Amino acid sequence: MKVVNLKQAILQAWKERWSDYQWAINMKKFFPKGATWDILNLAEALLEQAMIGPSPNPLILSYLKYAISSQMVSYSTVLTAISKFDDFSRDLCIQALLDIMDMFCDRLSCHGKAEECIGLCRALLSALHWLLRCTTASAERLREGLEMGATTGEKQLTRCLQQLKKILSSTKNRALLHVAKLEEVSSWTAIEQSLLKLGETFASLSNSHLQSQAEECGVLIRSIPIMLSMHSEQLHKTGFPTVHAVVLLEGTMNLTGEMQPLVEQLMMVKRMQRIPTPLFVLEIWKACFVGLIESPEGTEELKWTAFTFLKIPQVLVKLKKYPQGDKDFTEDVNCAFEFLLKLTPLLDKADHRCNCDCINMLLQECSKQGLLSEVNKESLMAKRVADRDQSPWLKSAENANIQPNPGLILRAEPTVTNILKTMDADHSKSPEGLLGVLGHMLSGKSLDLLLAAAAATGKLKSFARKFISLNEFTKNISNENSKAASVRALLFDISFLMLCHVAQTYGSEVILSESSTVGEVPFFETWMQTCMPEEGKILNPDHPCFRPDSTNVESLVALLNNTSEMKLVQMKWHEACLSISAAILEILNAWENGVLAFESIQKITDNIKGKVCSLAVCAVAWLVAHVRMLGLDEREKSLQMIRQLVGPLCSENTLQFYSERVVIMSSILEHMCADVLQQTATQIKFPSTGMDTMPYWNLLPPKRPIKEVLTSIFAEVLEKGWVDSRSIHVFDTLLHMGGVYWFCNNLVKELLKETRKEYTLRAVELLYSIFCLDMQQVTLILLGHILPGLLTDSAKWHSLMDPPGTALAKLAVWCALSSYSSHKGQASSRQKKRHREDIEDYISLFPLDDTQPSKLMRLLSSNEDDANVLSSPTDRSMSSSLSASQMHTVNMRDPLNRVLANLFLLISSILGARTAGPHTQFVQWFMEKCVDCLEQGSRGSILQFMPFTTVSCGTEARDGRCGGPVLPLRALSSISHIPLRWMRRELAALLFGVGE
């Protein structure tokens, strides 16, 4: 009865000429409750009434369009209703139906249960079949019309082909059709038959344009059954977040790192992700400009400028030496710059930030390094000039009074070389001349410019060694007058402050001498390692290094307390720096016991910082360690003394370059005190120095669990699709705070939560780059703990299904290959700061000798052979673990080797098990990724750790003789009656050239 009433309501609306919105309101009044409009077949009822005459009823069609737009009816019911119309001779009706289909065919969706989603797929398949029939009918009419000299069907045929192409050009629609094909096999057969009929009909037409359109549609339909096996063409992808993040990570945290490890890491990413060289170079430049734009003002901006304009061109020179295929690398660099010039907003923002034409300077630098031909350089420069002419605000915004940092950095690079030569001279011959050079280095931002240029060109360590030598030179005291004493004090102070500044800005590893160096350890190295506060380093204020010779301490206390100013002649500054901590303790005790008044403390602190700022730095270093050990009510006087020491001395009786030295001292003290001030909730106002504050300090939100911070920051990064500098520092802080296992485990959990293929692939690229913060340790945890836990716990197998399982397999292989190919090299400076995992944690994963098999190996090999064979230590390495790596002279004391061997042993066990599941599929993906990456020329051959059972199965499967996921050698032995031990020995000789 409701269906009858529905038709009556439609007829009443037509008779009374209701508008579309009036019709909708009245329909909801007539049918307030009960069944939905889809169950009542509203779409079909409207179409049936609209198509009664020779032409469609426009009023009733307006009701249908309103119902579609207001979602009264679902897309699936509309498509189903359209596909039931089969009178293709009525051109106007067909035209109206095509218009309705065009309303929503590019945004198909549905809400509700899974059955409704399947219903949409089936409806789209029916609509495709209808379109093919309609197109064929139109083509037949056109052919008949041509024979009669008419072109009646041409317009309708063109319209049908356009609609077909619009539906099929959407990957989403083709995916829905693929699902429908799997559900409705018979309907897909009808589609294929209609496609054949369409091809036959079009073959007799003479219109080549229509034929080519029909052929395009046919190709798209034929691609639907195989779309899951097709790989998207990499050239369609223009963003590569892994390359972007690796470059950002290097520029933000490892400017002093050697170039070769960075080059090898970038090349590995390029191979693993099959990135075309022009897009690869483009992504490097994009990352550089993004880092430059978002870098905080001050030292960080200078570091990024040096990284972009000095280090990256040198990196590209090294990349040029790698085989790049047939194309010349300079042509690829030129192509990358062509792409870069199209990113006008990015370049404009960089120019505005740097106050210059960045591309111009970069092109000149690349041309000097032989990365660009002169012709290409001039062409690119002309294009950028034309672009900048379109943006006059760029030139008007440039401040002529401010020298651009890129120009300063490029000029600073040869200056660094000259300074190093100057420092090589005999200091005793002209200390005043050397002091003049150092004084110029301290002015303005000269020091940070020179240090950034030295860091980017790999000369910072030499730079630091020169200043350590200068600092050691000041120990030599001869018969000196007051002027010579002043010069010596200044040389000591400036070299000490510069070295502190370098250690805080670029890491203490830059300062330390090589471990192989023999002889006395320089004073500054000793002080820095034992007395200087650093992030993550807790100092003991009662350590012997803070308790020097009591005679020196007493004389220093007397000197500070009894004289109006610090004496300079015959002063041993290195001894004073070592004694100041004990002297400060004596002074503090005297102050707390009322022996000294506050005025005396002020005089003492003025003496400490009045001539040589280094003494103040050493004093505050001990006070910071001391405050950590005090109770809440005991800290006041220590903190008050720090306040007195950080401010500059308001006096004219100071040594040369005092204001410049105070600027550096304040920066050093602010870094030193940051941790303890945060822990004690104390505020100390440091003098305004004109230098940047600590830009990436205290990034974690207060009173929020670190796991929440990790998940939220990863979600933000995943949504954006790339990692920024701030996020890198947050991840680094979380890694340091939570530990490698916590960090890696929680991020892998986030990866396994993703169910969308696009997001899992993006997550893998981002996670790989995040793991580069400490790739070696993360790989050990991932392969040695997390993957075995997932593979051996059946309750977790469901999380290894596609797409997250495929993504995790890819991530594991990428990490394994990266670590294995680089673990023999030196760890980067950012990784050395972190506590190393104890190597003993990995001893149990793989036996160091054949008399102590690990538990895992005993479990996996217990059924491999009889007990007599296992009891023989000499045969166990061949018959028990069956690890091919033991056939090579691989150092099994190395934790990574041990973890890889055990992982492949576990994989072999899973493949040989009688039960299969998602974990078996994961193992297949893992092996596929291993082979896939090795085919691209990766250096790390991790497949050498594969046990023979796995290798033999792979060989037999390749020859068509493997009957299942695994056919172990034991099975072949029982079938052929050939001794198992003999077969293993022969297989080893066959595969690896190893004899008995």
Side-chain angles (χ1 to χ4, degrees), residues 12 86 149 165 453 474 488 498 516 596 751 812 816:
Q12 182 182 350
D86 56 3
K165 188 173 181 181
T474 59
R488 186 172 61 85
M498 282 186 176
S516 58
L596 290 175
L751 171 63

mmCIF file of all heavy atoms in Angstrom, residues 12 86 149 165 453 474 488 498 516 596 751 812 816:
data_model
loop_
_atom_site.group_PDB
_atom_site.id
_atom_site.type_symbol
_atom_site.label_atom_id
_atom_site.label_comp_id
_atom_site.label_asym_id
_atom_site.label_seq_id
_atom_site.Cartn_x
_atom_site.Cartn_y
_atom_site.Cartn_z
ATOM 1 N N GLN A 12 0.289 13.440 -7.564
ATOM 2 C CA GLN A 12 -0.330 14.638 -6.994
ATOM 3 C C GLN A 12 0.628 15.820 -7.075
ATOM 4 O O GLN A 12 0.229 16.941 -7.408
ATOM 5 C CB GLN A 12 -0.729 14.369 -5.535
ATOM 6 C CG GLN A 12 -1.441 15.561 -4.881
ATOM 7 C CD GLN A 12 -1.784 15.298 -3.424
ATOM 8 O OE1 GLN A 12 -1.653 14.167 -2.950
ATOM 9 N NE2 GLN A 12 -2.233 16.324 -2.720
ATOM 10 N N ASP A 86 15.833 0.434 -20.614
ATOM 11 C CA ASP A 86 16.476 -0.236 -21.754
ATOM 12 C C ASP A 86 15.958 0.213 -23.114
ATOM 13 O O ASP A 86 16.257 -0.427 -24.134
ATOM 14 C CB ASP A 86 16.322 -1.756 -21.630
ATOM 15 C CG ASP A 86 14.867 -2.167 -21.495
ATOM 16 O OD1 ASP A 86 13.987 -1.280 -21.547
ATOM 17 O OD2 ASP A 86 14.601 -3.380 -21.327
ATOM 18 N N GLY A 149 22.853 8.191 -44.661
ATOM 19 C CA GLY A 149 23.275 9.571 -44.872
ATOM 20 C C GLY A 149 22.913 10.484 -43.722
ATOM 21 O O GLY A 149 22.925 11.697 -43.888
ATOM 22 N N LYS A 165 34.170 7.285 -19.686
ATOM 23 C CA LYS A 165 35.540 7.664 -19.334
ATOM 24 C C LYS A 165 35.589 8.331 -17.967
ATOM 25 O O LYS A 165 36.522 8.114 -17.183
ATOM 26 C CB LYS A 165 36.101 8.595 -20.404
ATOM 27 C CG LYS A 165 37.584 8.886 -20.233
ATOM 28 C CD LYS A 165 38.138 9.673 -21.394
ATOM 29 C CE LYS A 165 39.630 9.923 -21.204
ATOM 30 N NZ LYS A 165 40.191 10.710 -22.329
ATOM 31 N N ALA A 453 80.686 27.589 9.061
ATOM 32 C CA ALA A 453 81.409 27.291 7.823
ATOM 33 C C ALA A 453 82.402 26.148 8.040
ATOM 34 O O ALA A 453 82.540 25.257 7.193
ATOM 35 C CB ALA A 453 82.121 28.538 7.323
ATOM 36 N N THR A 474 99.138 28.637 26.811
ATOM 37 C CA THR A 474 99.081 29.635 27.891
ATOM 38 C C THR A 474 99.575 29.093 29.224
ATOM 39 O O THR A 474 99.711 29.849 30.187
ATOM 40 C CB THR A 474 97.642 30.156 28.061
ATOM 41 O OG1 THR A 474 96.771 29.062 28.354
ATOM 42 C CG2 THR A 474 97.165 30.851 26.805
ATOM 43 N N ARG A 488 98.412 36.847 27.764
ATOM 44 C CA ARG A 488 98.304 35.403 28.039
ATOM 45 C C ARG A 488 96.945 35.080 28.666
ATOM 46 O O ARG A 488 96.303 34.080 28.311
ATOM 47 C CB ARG A 488 99.446 34.974 28.963
ATOM 48 C CG ARG A 488 99.507 33.468 29.200
ATOM 49 C CD ARG A 488 100.771 33.084 29.960
ATOM 50 N NE ARG A 488 100.810 33.713 31.270
ATOM 51 C CZ ARG A 488 100.207 33.200 32.357
ATOM 52 N NH1 ARG A 488 99.554 32.058 32.279
ATOM 53 N NH2 ARG A 488 100.307 33.822 33.524
ATOM 54 N N MET A 498 85.695 29.859 23.587
ATOM 55 C CA MET A 498 85.371 29.349 22.257
ATOM 56 C C MET A 498 85.159 27.838 22.282
ATOM 57 O O MET A 498 84.220 27.312 21.664
ATOM 58 C CB MET A 498 86.493 29.692 21.277
ATOM 59 C CG MET A 498 86.480 31.132 20.789
ATOM 60 S SD MET A 498 87.740 31.377 19.525
ATOM 61 C CE MET A 498 87.435 33.075 19.053
ATOM 62 N N SER A 516 93.403 6.967 19.912
ATOM 63 C CA SER A 516 94.747 6.413 19.685
ATOM 64 C C SER A 516 95.862 7.395 20.038
ATOM 65 O O SER A 516 97.035 7.030 20.069
ATOM 66 C CB SER A 516 94.885 5.993 18.219
ATOM 67 O OG SER A 516 94.653 7.107 17.365
ATOM 68 N N LEU A 596 80.885 35.467 56.111
ATOM 69 C CA LEU A 596 80.960 36.469 55.051
ATOM 70 C C LEU A 596 79.591 37.108 54.844
ATOM 71 O O LEU A 596 78.557 36.423 54.883
ATOM 72 C CB LEU A 596 81.409 35.834 53.730
ATOM 73 C CG LEU A 596 82.870 35.358 53.650
ATOM 74 C CD1 LEU A 596 83.117 34.653 52.313
ATOM 75 C CD2 LEU A 596 83.833 36.524 53.804
ATOM 76 N N LEU A 751 52.093 2.083 13.738
ATOM 77 C CA LEU A 751 52.093 1.630 12.345
ATOM 78 C C LEU A 751 51.064 0.521 12.151
ATOM 79 O O LEU A 751 50.316 0.518 11.162
ATOM 80 C CB LEU A 751 53.493 1.132 11.964
ATOM 81 C CG LEU A 751 53.626 0.418 10.615
ATOM 82 C CD1 LEU A 751 53.276 1.369 9.473
ATOM 83 C CD2 LEU A 751 55.024 -0.138 10.431
ATOM 84 N N ALA A 812 61.228 -3.262 8.407
ATOM 85 C CA ALA A 812 62.250 -4.121 9.012
ATOM 86 C C ALA A 812 63.405 -4.359 8.052
ATOM 87 O O ALA A 812 64.580 -4.309 8.443
ATOM 88 C CB ALA A 812 61.617 -5.448 9.441
ATOM 89 N N ALA A 816 67.219 -3.177 8.563
ATOM 90 C CA ALA A 816 68.272 -4.200 8.581
ATOM 91 C C ALA A 816 69.353 -3.896 7.554
ATOM 92 O O ALA A 816 70.556 -3.966 7.855
ATOM 93 C CB ALA A 816 67.653 -5.576 8.318
#
